Every structure is written in C-alpha cells, then in structure tokens.
C-alpha cells in the first residue's frame, strides 16, 4: 500500500477566499471519508463516499462545503467563503469493503486569517 | 448513540515506565475497536485493533483487550520510550451511517528520558 495522500499539507488563506483540498486514497479502497479535527479534539466526521457516490454528509458540513469524488478515485473538498471557524486539520481516510479499519492521510492544516 | 470515553491527559511518564490509557465505549452490538496514534503535525496511524470480544490487539509493544463485560478497551505498554510521546485515540465504527469512526477526545502521552 502506498498510503493515503493529501495535498496541500498546509494552507493559509484570508477570510472570504475559497480553498480546495485533494485526497488520494489507497488504490483498492472503495470507501472514502473526510473528517475535521480541531485543536485538542478527536476527528469529527464530515462526509462519506462509496466509489463516486456521496452517501452521507454531517450536519457540520454547511452549504459552504462541497465534496466530490469523480470516477471513484481521488476526492476533493472545497470550502467557499472561508471563515475563521473553518481553521482546522482536514483528514481523509479510506478503507476496504471487507474490514472496518480506516487508513488516514497526513491531513491538510487550514489556517484562515 | 455510539460514543467513546477516554481518560484525560496529559499522561506524563519516565522512560521504561508502565503505561495504561483507559477507554470505555457505548455502542449497539459489538463493534470492532481501534487505537490510533497521532504524532505532532501528522495524521492518525492505526496502532492496533480488535474485532470481537476477548480479542487482544497488539503492535509495537502496545496491547489492548476487548472486554465486553466492562465495555472497555484499555491501552497498555510495559515499558514506554521517549518516541512513544504522541496523542492516542480510541475509536469505534458506528453501527449505522456507513461505519464512520467515532473517536474519544484523545490522551496526550509525554515520556521523559
């Protein structure tokens, strides 16, 4: 396994700007999850894809957030009109159909100034 | 709903001391249980897992036993090293909602030489 990769690792943006993050899951993993982690807390679920279908979204995912997984491979998470409260680590994870453990990428740390 | 409770940190130990980090859970059914470790500035790494009652997960000298009677999954290590300093998260996949992971708040471990 080459592991889950995320890009960029760090992003600093001004309030009101749009940002987009990318996640490349482990190649044979159909299931992909996005989480958000704020300082001193555990990750919180944002959204879930099975292949290219987005099957669940958390209430945390306001209408400024959108996620896609075209062709069921990589995924993108876009935040429009960023706010300071969006500052967090955004984590992507993937797993196989047959087991429950998820494998995480290194995360993208977003700072909104 | 499903939830995980971990002991508060930080846990401060000297090198070669014995480590216990407590984790209890509330869940419907008997989910798999996981410990993840997060080093500074990085994503989460799966440390160990147990898939059914009385299973013992182990990895890198760490162990945890799935105790159905006490709904616990405590993490232990006989002799910690400075390199074990990190944040440790207990987690379980929810029985509903496509098995998204529910995490505890994390326990920071600080090991001094």
């Amino acid at each position: 396994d080459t592991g889950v990769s995320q890009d960029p690792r760090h992003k600093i943006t001004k309030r009101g700007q749009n940002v987009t993050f990318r996640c490349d899951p482990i190649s044979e993993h159909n299931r992909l999850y996005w989480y958000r982690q704020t300082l001193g807390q555990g990750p919180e679920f944002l959204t879930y894809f099975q292949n290219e279908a987005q099957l669940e979204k958390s209430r945390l995912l306001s209408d400024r957030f959108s996620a896609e997984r075209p062709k069921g491979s990589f995924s993108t998470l876009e935040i429009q009109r960023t706010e300071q409260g969006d500052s967090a680590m955004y984590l992507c994870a993937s797993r196989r159909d047959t087991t429950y453990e998820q494998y995480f990428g290194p995360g993208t740390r977003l700072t909104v100034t | 709903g499903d939830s995980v409770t971990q002991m508060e940190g930080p846990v401060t130990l000297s090198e070669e001391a014995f480590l216990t980090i407590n984790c209890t859970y509330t869940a419907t059914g008997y989910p798999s249980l996981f410990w993840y470790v997060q080093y500074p500035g990085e994503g989460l790494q799966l440390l160990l897992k147990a898939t059914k009652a009385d299973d013992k997960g182990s990895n890198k000298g760490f162990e945890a036993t799935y105790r159905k009677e006490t709904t616990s999954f405590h993490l232990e290590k006989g002799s910690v090293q400075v390199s074990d300093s990190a944040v440790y998260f207990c987690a379980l996949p929810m029985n509903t909602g496509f098995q998204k992971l529910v995490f505890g708040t994390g326990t920071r471990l600080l090991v001094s030489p």
Side-chain angles (χ1 to χ4, degrees):
Chain A
D1 289 342
T2 55
V4 179
S5 61
Q6 292 187 245
D7 185 69
R9 294 289 307 273
H10 303 275
K11 179 71 177 179
I12 300 174
T13 191
K14 293 185 188 305
R15 189 177 56 185
Q17 297 296 301
N18 300 343
V19 294
T20 300
F21 310 142
R22 177 179 170 125
C23 169
D24 287 87
I26 293 170
S27 58
E28 65 267 26
H29 289 187
N30 292 335
R31 300 173 188 245
L32 185 148
Y33 303 78
W34 285 96
Y35 295 84
R36 182 169 69 186
Q37 184 181 25
T38 54
L39 208 57
Q41 301 297 315
E44 295 176 293
F45 169 78
L46 290 179
T47 191
Y48 164 73
F49 288 86
Q50 188 163 326
N51 300 308
E52 67 275 8
Q54 186 176 21
L55 298 182
E56 187 174 357
K57 294 192 286 188
S58 161
R59 288 172 298 171
L60 291 176
L61 215 65
S62 76
D63 55 8
R64 296 184 299 104
F65 286 71
S66 63
E68 294 183 337
R69 193 182 181 197
K71 303 178 185 177
S73 56
F74 71 91
S75 176
T76 57
L77 178 68
E78 181 183 16
I79 309 174
Q80 296 184 326
R81 305 180 304 281
T82 52
E83 301 173 356
Q84 287 190 319
D86 297 331
S87 295
M89 174 81 92
Y90 290 84
L91 295 163
C92 176
S94 68
R95 73 170 177 95
R96 303 173 189 275
D97 289 337
T98 52
T99 60
Y100 292 126
E101 62 265 29
Q102 296 179 21
Y103 294 88
F104 284 79
T108 295
R109 180 165 294 285
L110 173 67
T111 303
V112 182
T113 62
Chain B
D2 296 358
S3 66
V4 174
T5 303
Q6 283 182 242
M7 63 188 286
E8 296 260 339
V11 173
T12 305
L13 295 173
S14 297
E15 206 164 25
E16 298 184 3
F18 184 85
L19 169 70
T20 300
I21 299 178
N22 290 340
C23 169
T24 57
Y25 66 91
T26 303
T28 52
Y30 302 105
S32 297
L33 297 171
F34 307 112
W35 276 101
Y36 284 86
V37 58
Q38 186 174 36
Y39 298 99
E42 297 186 11
L44 278 69
Q45 297 177 24
L46 178 65
L47 181 59
L48 54 81
K49 68 176 183 181
T51 57
K52 60 184 187 297
D54 300 324
D55 261 5
K56 178 184 282 189
S58 61
N59 186 27
K60 300 181 181 178
F62 291 89
E63 294 183 337
T65 301
Y66 190 152
R67 304 268 187 218
K68 184 178 65 173
E69 325 74 54
T70 53
T71 62
S72 65
F73 192 53
H74 305 322
L75 183 68
E76 297 181 335
K77 187 175 186 183
S79 176
V80 293
Q81 305 300 311
V82 172
S83 57
D84 294 327
S85 298
V87 181
Y88 293 81
F89 291 95
C90 187
L92 60 83
M94 289 190 71
N95 195 36
T96 59
F98 304 105
Q99 293 81 44
K100 56 182 176 279
L101 293 177
V102 175
F103 289 87
T105 53
T107 303
R108 180 173 297 279
L109 171 65
L110 300 169
V111 181
S112 56

